[in-house]
């Protein structure tokens, strides 16, 4: 019998282009007990994005209504669009003792920490250099040049928040960065305070 534990919220943030999405995908593919909280956003879908899988794409009106209904654990405006983590998405995962991954910005990370501090482990991903960040943003080519320029200048501001996180990973190499985040997740799962079954386990151990 595995020792019972409480699920945790793994928060992953980074300036766009630092490789956070690749890390998140790799992590989800290899960790069956981890699921992604699909955020709601007012941003238009990019080519290939699927409603309900990548985001729940909603109008500004619907988003405002959801805020009024207190549907969000956190929400923030990023690059001119609104994004929010739905309480229901997080709570249902934690309730079954699994872990939930939040791919959110620093403003959201602050709100989640305030709301559920003991259940949160936060990781900030940095690019190895500014030219490399620029290269990655242009290589992705999912946005217009104007949007990329805006993301790049926002990235500089976002980077200032690195010291609000529990862990910082410098993404020199995608595979190595993924491995580091995986190690963080595995260690966080082993924290004594999350392993609610330990007391009973030790009691039984002593006979
Ligand atoms: P993108 O538009 O490129 O998918 O995401 C832009 C930024 O918004 C990323 O930094 C992403 O982490 C952040 N983001 C995505 N979903 C949420 C959310 O639910 N809440 C917050 N605060 N940020 C989010």
């Amino acid at each position: 019998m595995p020792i019972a534990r409480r699920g945790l919220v793994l928060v992953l943030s980074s300036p766009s282009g630092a490789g956070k999405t690749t890390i998140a995908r790799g992590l989800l593919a290899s960790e069956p007990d981890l699921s992604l909280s699909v955020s709601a956003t007012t941003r238009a879908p990019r080519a290939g994005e699927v409603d309900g899988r990548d985001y729940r794409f909603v109008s500004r009106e619907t988003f405002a209504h959801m805020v009024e209904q207190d549907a969000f654990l956190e929400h923030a405006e990023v690059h001119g669009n609104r994004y929010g983590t739905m309480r229901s998405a997080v709570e249902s995962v934690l309730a079954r003792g699994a872990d939930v991954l939040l791919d959110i910005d620093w403003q959201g990370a602050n709100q989640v920490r305030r709301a559920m501090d003991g259940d949160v482990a936060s990781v900030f991903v940095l690019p190895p250099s500014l030219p490399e960040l620029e290269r990655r943003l242009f290589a992705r080519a999912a946005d217009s040049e104007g949007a990329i320029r805006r993301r790049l200048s926002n990235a500089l501001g976002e980077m200032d928040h690195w010291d609000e996180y529990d862990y910082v990973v410098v993404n020199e190499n995608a595979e190595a960065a993924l491995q580091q985040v995986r190690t963080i997740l595995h260690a966080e799962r082993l924290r004594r305070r999350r392993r609610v079954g330990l007391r009973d386990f030790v009691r039984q151990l002593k006979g």
Side-chain angles (χ1 to χ4, degrees):
M1 261 287 275
I3 296 168
R5 67 174 182 93
R6 224 183 24 230
L8 68 96
V9 178
L10 184 67
V11 172
L12 204 56
S13 303
S14 78
S16 43
K20 178 187 50 174
T21 307
T22 310
I23 294 175
R25 286 210 186 109
L27 209 55
L28 290 163
S30 62
E31 298 290 333
D33 276 354
L34 180 72
S35 39
L36 179 71
S37 156
V38 177
S39 297
T41 183
T42 60
R43 167 166 83 59
R46 297 193 184 115
E49 283 185 333
V50 176
D51 185 44
R53 184 194 68 186
D54 299 289
Y55 282 105
R56 207 174 132 196
F57 296 100
V58 299
S59 65
R60 284 220 158 233
E61 292 69 30
T62 302
F63 197 99
H65 183 67
M66 290 169 83
V67 171
E68 265 169 40
Q69 303 285 305
D70 198 27
F72 293 119
L73 179 61
E74 63 75 32
H75 61 92
E77 178 128 356
V78 188
H79 311 309
N81 294 300
R82 299 187 83 180
Y83 295 84
T85 302
M86 282 173 281
R87 278 182 202 287
S88 54
V90 173
E91 281 162 8
S92 62
V93 176
L94 292 183
R96 59 178 162 84
D99 306 313
V100 58
L101 178 65
L102 302 187
D103 171 343
I104 61 177
D105 86 322
W106 63 271
Q107 307 172 79
N110 279 340
Q111 295 172 44
V112 173
R113 253 183 238 111
R114 241 174 278 135
M116 43 197 322
D117 187 36
D119 290 324
V120 178
S122 61
V123 183
F124 196 77
V125 182
L126 283 172
S129 69
L130 211 55
E132 177 58 18
L133 179 70
E134 195 166 344
R135 195 193 63 73
R136 287 181 193 168
L137 278 177
F138 277 99
R140 196 161 72 177
D143 296 300
S144 67
E145 172 152 1
I148 294 174
R149 290 275 161 225
R150 191 153 50 132
R151 275 167 192 267
L152 200 55
S153 79
N154 284 340
L156 297 177
E158 286 164 11
M159 271 186 223
D160 290 340
H161 296 277
W162 65 273
D163 63 351
E164 294 157 16
Y165 287 72
D166 299 320
Y167 302 89
V168 175
V169 168
V170 178
N171 185 5
E172 197 110 35
N173 161 295
E175 195 47 49
L178 169 59
Q179 190 48 47
Q180 287 181 14
V181 179
R182 201 180 276 135
T183 302
I184 292 165
L185 174 64
H186 291 174
E188 286 287 336
R189 281 176 175 165
L190 290 172
R191 271 194 193 272
R192 175 172 51 82
R193 67 164 190 265
R194 297 212 164 92
R195 306 180 76 196
V196 291
L198 272 177
R199 199 165 294 281
D200 283 344
F201 175 76
V202 174
R203 200 173 291 134
Q204 279 169 18
L205 197 63
K206 290 174 70 177

